[in-house]
Amino acid sequence: MAATIAYADVEPGTELPARTFPVRRETLVRYAGASGDFNPIHWNERFAREVGLPDVIAHGMFTMASAVRVVTDWVGDPAAVVEYGVRFTKPVVVPDDAEGARIEVSAKVAAKLDDAARTVRVDLTATSAGRKVLGMARAVVRLA
Amino acid sequence: MALDQSFVGRTYPPTAPYEVGREKIREFADAVGDDHPAYRDPRAARALGHPDVIAPPTFVFSVTFRAAGDVIHDPQLGLDYGRVVHGDQRFRYTRPVTAGDRLTVTSTIESIKSMAGNDVLDIRGEVHDAEGAHVVTAWTKMVARAAGKDA
């Protein structure tokens, strides 16, 4: 484990570099193939509307995977993430156009948990089209 | 119809091993657009102290969710899968999933609740390697929406 951020260098409120992740229909087809989740609500507009959705929506796990990149890119070693959880509050709606959707992710250190283990809690905020798409999004990260 | 509370605490048999391949990890990292070298280059992973390329934190969901399928599709439990949505997801890692791992998952139903007509099911998946050592625990909350409700 080789985190590049030192426990001594962060305080509650320390902000991680924010990121924006584009999501197009092609993104979802790729994710379906890689993850094995072929639920048609993630690629078939007709089916999505039939079950009451406004359009095709992103896999919740795609959003979860995107959001944690803010943490793993910050800390350097992805293995520094010892715990990670989210609640799926709103879907990321992905229209069939060149732009698709965007997931905007920010994060900050919420608390220093354990001086001996050098762990901190990072709280994440993920929005798409101005709506929060993840709730209770938190990671526990072991720093250097 | 509310689900049978007697299923709380039920543990399903461990799954057959899932063998984690370097190229599957690369494919997954590509699909989420993540170019971190530890997911692709064994030397970069070793420089961080890992024996081989590691998987992104959420990769293991594909493995645990397949195991949770045994629960979700258990005809005796009677969950209406057509109405199921993913509510919460959480992971706690002992170590990262690594190429070459042979992972088994043991799923347990932690709780069954009925909230506003929805069935809420909490499933815990314990993931172990071929030596029997713990790798990660995944908690998955599935919500079966009450009939007649849109997403």
Side-chain angles (χ1 to χ4, degrees):
Chain A
M1 214 277 297
T4 53
I5 304 288
Y7 183 75
D9 292 343
V10 305
E11 291 299 330
T14 298
E15 292 187 8
L16 283 59
R19 297 277 301 271
T20 297
F21 303 101
V23 193
R24 289 185 293 273
R25 290 287 180 84
E26 181 193 348
T27 318
L28 301 183
V29 172
R30 281 179 185 276
Y31 186 79
S35 69
D37 181 347
F38 292 99
N39 188 328
I41 61 174
H42 304 306
W43 51 270
N44 183 328
E45 189 170 324
R46 173 180 52 78
F47 184 89
R49 292 187 194 280
E50 274 174 15
V51 297
L53 294 166
D55 202 334
V56 161
I57 64 169
H59 303 73
M61 289 306 299
F62 176 85
T63 303
M64 187 177 187
S66 296
V68 80
R69 290 176 59 193
V70 166
V71 180
T72 53
D73 284 349
W74 173 68
V75 75
D77 184 357
V81 176
V82 294
E83 200 169 328
Y84 177 40
V86 305
R87 173 162 295 165
F88 302 107
T89 51
K90 293 282 183 198
V92 174
V93 179
V94 183
D96 183 20
D97 58 28
E99 297 294 310
R102 296 158 79 82
I103 302 169
E104 289 168 18
V105 181
S106 60
K108 64 175 191 297
V109 174
K112 298 181 91 164
L113 299 178
D114 185 333
D115 290 347
R118 305 185 309 281
T119 49
V120 298
R121 194 185 95 211
V122 173
D123 287 2
L124 299 105
T125 303
T127 62
S128 186
R131 298 195 308 174
K132 270 184 83 168
V133 293
L134 297 178
M136 304 284 290
R138 294 171 169 185
V140 175
V141 186
R142 185 176 295 126
L143 300 179
Chain B
M1 194 181 71
L3 296 174
D4 183 351
Q5 287 288 328
S6 73
F7 277 74
V8 174
R10 181 170 298 204
T11 295
Y12 290 72
T15 56
Y18 174 99
E19 190 164 331
V20 179
R22 280 184 188 165
E23 294 303 333
K24 190 64 192 179
I25 291 174
R26 181 200 301 271
E27 181 190 10
F28 184 88
D30 283 348
V32 294
D34 195 329
D35 57 8
H36 197 294
Y39 304 148
R40 302 153 191 287
D41 177 359
R43 285 199 305 180
R46 279 196 285 271
L48 294 171
H50 308 300
D52 203 327
V53 294
I54 60 170
T58 63
F59 173 90
V60 76
F61 181 77
S62 298
V63 186
T64 60
F65 190 64
R66 191 183 297 182
D70 293 345
V71 181
I72 292 163
H73 297 294
D74 183 340
Q76 293 191 317
L77 178 63
L79 195 67
D80 182 352
Y81 183 64
R83 297 185 292 115
V84 168
V85 295
H86 199 175
D88 293 19
Q89 182 61 40
R90 187 160 64 92
F91 302 99
R92 186 184 294 153
Y93 307 90
T94 295
R95 67 166 177 84
V97 168
T98 307
D101 277 343
R102 290 171 63 81
L103 303 175
T104 58
V105 186
T106 307
S107 299
T108 300
I109 299 179
E110 283 203 326
S111 79
I112 295 173
K113 292 182 185 125
S114 185
M115 292 166 73
N118 299 330
D119 288 320
V120 182
L121 188 66
D122 286 299
I123 303 169
R124 185 183 73 242
E126 301 278 1
V127 181
H128 292 90
D129 63 19
E131 283 72 46
H134 180 261
V135 179
V136 52
T137 300
W139 287 269
T140 300
K141 186 186 291 291
M142 305 301 301
V143 181
R145 291 171 293 131
K149 276 191 187 175
D150 285 341

